[in-house]
Amino acid sequence: MAFSTGYLFPRFSLHPRTREIAKIRNSSEPFNVAKNITNQWRINHEDIALAPSGLHQSLFLNGSTSFPGKFPTHYEQKKDEVRHLFKKSKGDPIESLIIVDAIQRLGLDYHFQEEIETILQQQYDSSTCVHKYQTLHDVSLFFRLLRQHGHYVSAGKDGKFKKEIRGDINGLMELYEAVQLSFEGEVVLDEANKFSSQILHEYLANYTDSDRSKMLVISNKLRHPFHKSIPRILMTERYFKDFGGRTNDSGTTLRELASMDLHMRQSVYQEELLQISKWWNEVGLTKNDLKHARNQPLKWYTWSMAIIDDSSLSWQRVELTKSIAFIYLIDDIFDLYGTLDELISFTEAVNRWDYAAIKTLPNYMKMCYRALLDTTNEIGRKIYKKHGYNPIDSLKTTWVNLCNAFLIEAKWLTSGELPPADKYLENGKVSSGVHVVLVHLFFLLGHGQANINSPAGAVHLNDTCQIISSVATILRLLDDLGTAKDEHQDGKDGSYVECYRKENVGLSIEQAREHVNDMVASEWKSLNKECFLNLNHVISASSFTKASLNLARMVPLMYSYDDNQRLPVLEEYVNFMLFNQGTSLDLEHLHQDKTIF
């Protein structure tokens, strides 16, 4: 599952790394291939250029002023300047929405939740407010932001588009962004999606050198619409130029705060990464019995960093990373090490969740089993200490279900028989690991209290079942598509594509892949509806919903392969968020810096 060769979370077919190691096992050569693949995502402490000592997550939790000089003071002042922008734009509805949009794209919205909600609530409460917007861009922006924050706005019934808007490229780009939040059955938005996408692609096909700048903006919009992307991937100088052209002072202020915020985040993230590295080295699972399992704490942490984007939720990111590490490790046990009988024994032991079961396991499994129980039980205790509720029964159930799903896939692989496509997908959603991640996350974020006291408007675990299922489906299907592309297997990879083609004789690989892409699009509509319509407004704005969407948003990055079968966008994201030293600021001359991004 190295980023440059394969998977996000586990799947049932033999992926390239498994095949390479299998070949090496049959020769006298050392395991150089496995080492080369995993080294990319190991932690090199020399690469973690930590800011001065004392920079850690407590900065956000207790207001520590560990940063050198006047950085904390400047940081708070800059946030106050942004709050002033909100007040300044109060009489201009579209200006307010543009500022909200910019703050979200920069990943700064967690600082200004109250201000953002006030603006959107006021606009939603005004029944005629939509008529204030005269352009396609403004109406589309209004629709997207309101719906994104759980305020239902109807798409209407008229799906006809005036010919004159074909030349409104900025409006069409915003329309394309808005339709990403559509629900199943919204025919108007389906038509708007086709209409805007077609015209924008036509524009790209006919651009001239003089249009190159706009062409790059359009191309980026089509590839990375905001709703389906991690915000900080979109942080480009070109965006600031576009934003600054509309409201220059606001653009400068937000650009400066974004730079300072990233500087703060990097210190927190680097400290967390060192905590993960220390924990993983102490666990020591890949040092002896599981030497050829993946040793990639940087990759595991990247998921937590993207999923939980609130800098104050530091210990939650660290604990979530530990769970993700075991998904990968147990996947390797099933893929690389275990015979079917051994895997049955391991699965039975996980179902028992009893240290006494260790004696039933082969030696190479014992440390992993003990560490899984130790780590999960400790996570449960930490949640109890923080939130007053120990969800250990729910946590261990996710591991039981994951191993049961892995075992089913192992039996399929051993038999050589492909299951029906729907059966494969239902099991594949569980073996994706999404249930493990999101159930752990649910309790780490403190939502377990709702299962005790049931306060009005609280989030319950049962309320999230459809969200978890949709995210898991998106991951599984894109995982299969990306893997088939990466392996050049013409669909013969035990994936959903192959299962579906077996049931539809004569279907080409291209047709099957198109069908899977349609399924992904449909699942996004289901996820949108669950997040923004079916659940109450409190849940729509909850940290869990946002984190679940972030997990779905990260999936495409795993499969944006270039011609060298690498993932440059993902690698750029990791380098930018963790190791980009260009974000260091001269605070005494901050106001003079106009090119931070």
Side-chain angles (χ1 to χ4, degrees):
M1 282 191 276
F3 277 172
S4 59
T5 59
Y7 299 89
L8 168 59
F9 289 133
R11 63 185 303 280
F12 113 80
S13 67
L14 285 174
H15 47 68
R17 180 171 175 274
T18 311
R19 295 191 180 93
E20 289 167 345
I21 292 178
K23 292 177 182 178
I24 298 172
R25 280 178 171 167
N26 294 326
S27 71
S28 59
E29 296 298 320
F31 283 76
N32 290 332
V33 173
K35 291 180 180 179
N36 289 339
I37 293 173
T38 59
N39 277 341
Q40 181 184 359
W41 297 98
R42 292 180 180 175
I43 295 176
N44 181 353
H45 289 197
E46 295 178 358
D47 290 340
I48 303 179
L50 284 174
S53 60
L55 298 179
H56 48 76
Q57 59 271 31
S58 63
L59 273 166
F60 295 86
L61 300 178
N62 58 28
S64 167
T65 56
S66 300
F67 272 100
K70 298 180 179 180
F71 189 99
T73 301
H74 283 287
Y75 187 61
E76 292 302 320
Q77 289 175 346
K78 195 58 61 177
K79 286 194 287 187
D80 287 340
E81 289 180 25
V82 173
R83 292 187 181 97
H84 178 70
L85 293 179
F86 283 114
K87 296 178 181 179
K88 186 178 178 181
S89 66
K90 191 174 181 179
D92 188 340
I94 187 57
E95 184 75 6
S96 297
L97 293 183
I98 290 175
I99 291 174
V100 169
D101 185 37
I103 287 173
Q104 290 184 161
R105 289 177 181 273
L106 295 171
L108 298 172
D109 49 310
Y110 72 101
H111 290 303
F112 308 105
Q113 292 295 339
E114 183 177 344
E115 290 85 354
I116 290 173
E117 181 55 36
T118 296
I119 287 174
L120 298 180
Q121 187 66 52
Q122 289 174 347
Q123 300 219 20
Y124 181 73
D125 289 342
S126 177
S127 59
T128 59
C129 62
V130 70
H131 301 297
K132 300 176 183 177
Y133 305 117
Q134 302 298 318
T135 69
L136 177 62
H137 172 278
D138 296 351
V139 172
S140 299
L141 180 61
F142 168 84
F143 174 88
R144 175 168 63 85
L145 291 179
L146 268 291
R147 180 168 283 200
Q148 183 183 339
H149 284 263
H151 300 287
Y152 178 70
V153 181
S154 173
K157 297 181 180 180
D158 184 5
K160 297 180 180 179
F161 300 94
K162 297 179 180 179
K163 292 183 178 180
E164 52 263 33
I165 69 173
R166 293 180 64 91
D168 183 1
I169 298 301
N170 288 334
L172 289 169
M173 284 193 289
E174 190 54 51
L175 177 62
Y176 181 78
E177 293 272 24
V179 299
Q180 306 305 315
L181 285 97
S182 65
F183 306 152
E184 198 69 54
E186 291 189 310
V187 178
V188 172
L189 293 186
D190 291 341
E191 291 299 318
N193 187 18
K194 294 178 183 177
F195 179 78
S196 58
S197 177
Q198 177 183 344
I199 296 176
L200 292 174
H201 277 101
E202 288 175 358
Y203 187 93
L204 290 180
N206 297 296
Y207 87 95
T208 62
D209 289 341
S210 61
D211 298 327
R212 180 171 176 78
S213 178
K214 179 165 285 189
M215 180 274 293
L216 293 174
V217 174
I218 295 173
S219 178
N220 191 55
K221 290 273 188 181
L222 292 171
R223 287 184 292 112
H224 303 294
F226 174 69
H227 177 57
K228 296 179 180 178
S229 304
I230 297 296
R232 288 177 181 270
I233 293 173
L234 307 175
M235 290 172 62
T236 64
E237 185 174 0
R238 184 174 297 105
Y239 169 71
F240 279 111
K241 185 181 295 184
D242 181 59
F243 176 71
R246 189 81 180 255
T247 160
N248 192 45
D249 292 341
S250 301
T252 300
T253 300
L254 290 174
R255 180 175 63 244
E256 292 169 351
L257 178 60
S259 180
M260 298 177 78
D261 190 71
L262 181 59
H263 187 76
M264 297 277 275
R265 283 175 179 266
Q266 284 183 334
S267 297
V268 175
Y269 293 158
Q270 290 170 356
E271 176 63 24
E272 292 169 1
L273 193 55
L274 287 180
Q275 291 180 44
I276 292 299
S277 179
K278 180 180 179 181
W279 165 78
W280 184 243
N281 287 332
E282 290 175 350
V283 172
L285 294 177
T286 56
K287 293 179 180 178
N288 298 305
D289 295 327
L290 299 173
K291 290 182 179 179
H292 308 303
R294 278 157 296 188
N295 179 10
Q296 300 171 332
L298 175 56
K299 185 201 308 187
W300 307 329
Y301 175 74
T302 299
W303 282 104
S304 297
M305 179 178 68
I307 293 169
I308 308 176
D309 63 354
D310 186 334
S311 296
S312 68
L313 301 177
S314 182
W315 74 275
Q316 290 91 334
R317 269 188 300 276
V318 172
E319 299 307 316
L320 186 64
T321 303
K322 296 176 183 178
S323 300
I324 293 173
F326 278 103
I327 295 174
Y328 280 90
L329 187 64
I330 294 173
D331 178 49
D332 281 347
I333 287 177
F334 275 77
D335 274 356
L336 306 179
Y337 286 92
T339 64
L340 186 58
D341 288 341
E342 290 171 343
L343 298 178
I344 291 173
S345 295
F346 185 83
T347 302
E348 290 175 346
V350 173
N351 275 264
R352 288 175 59 185
W353 204 263
D354 184 350
Y355 286 98
I358 292 176
K359 62 184 180 183
T360 68
L361 300 174
N363 289 333
Y364 74 90
M365 288 182 172
K366 289 180 178 179
M367 281 185 64
C368 177
Y369 180 76
R370 180 186 295 276
L372 174 65
L373 268 60
D374 286 346
T375 302
T376 306
N377 290 335
E378 179 62 20
I379 289 174
R381 287 190 289 269
K382 289 182 178 180
I383 292 172
Y384 175 79
K385 183 177 180 180
K386 177 68 175 179
H387 301 298
Y389 174 77
N390 191 333
I392 187 59
D393 289 340
S394 296
L395 301 185
K396 68 183 181 183
T397 296
T398 66
W399 292 111
V400 169
N401 292 339
L402 180 69
C403 291
N404 288 343
F406 280 175
L407 184 59
I408 289 172
E409 292 178 344
K411 291 178 178 179
W412 287 339
L413 187 61
T414 300
S415 71
E417 293 293 326
L418 286 175
D422 58 347
K423 188 175 182 179
Y424 165 85
L425 182 58
E426 196 61 33
N427 188 76
K429 290 191 294 184
V430 181
S431 68
S432 70
V434 168
H435 290 71
V436 175
V437 172
L438 291 185
V439 171
H440 280 67
L441 180 64
F442 179 86
F443 292 108
L444 285 168
L445 294 174
H447 295 304
Q449 282 288 354
N451 294 272
I452 304 174
N453 304 320
S454 297
V459 188
H460 293 258
L461 184 59
N462 289 340
D463 295 333
T464 68
C465 290
Q466 186 56 50
I467 290 178
I468 295 174
S469 177
S470 291
V471 176
T473 303
I474 291 169
L475 189 152
R476 167 55 62 230
L477 293 175
L478 289 181
D479 183 341
D480 286 359
L481 283 182
T483 299
K485 176 182 177 181
D486 188 42
E487 296 179 30
H488 303 291
Q489 292 178 343
D490 194 30
K492 298 177 180 179
D493 57 355
S495 68
Y496 180 86
V497 172
E498 187 179 1
C499 294
Y500 184 72
R501 291 183 70 199
K502 179 185 176 184
E503 295 178 354
N504 295 270
V505 179
L507 199 69
S508 69
I509 181 100
E510 291 77 14
Q511 291 172 318
R513 290 174 65 85
E514 182 179 356
H515 170 72
V516 172
N517 280 320
D518 289 342
M519 291 177 66
V520 171
S522 177
E523 207 62 45
W524 261 108
K525 292 179 181 179
S526 176
L527 181 59
N528 288 341
K529 190 172 184 179
E530 197 65 23
C531 289
F532 306 128
L533 181 62
N534 285 353
L535 300 183
N536 63 53
H537 181 59
V538 174
I539 298 177
S540 296
S542 76
S543 54
F544 176 79
T545 299
K546 186 174 182 180
S548 300
L549 288 166
N550 281 343
L551 175 52
R553 290 161 177 158
M554 276 296 288
V555 177
L557 292 187
M558 295 300 297
Y559 310 108
S560 299
Y561 293 103
D562 62 14
D563 293 338
N564 296 317
Q565 299 301 305
R566 297 186 65 86
L567 294 159
V569 177
L570 185 59
E571 292 172 9
E572 182 180 357
Y573 170 70
V574 172
N575 287 329
F576 180 75
M577 294 301 296
L578 287 171
F579 308 116
N580 181 5
Q581 297 307 300
T583 57
S584 298
L585 303 176
D586 180 355
L587 296 175
E588 298 302 321
H589 301 89
L590 182 62
H591 64 283
Q592 298 177 3
D593 189 353
K594 305 301 182 184
T595 58
I596 294 174
F597 294 100

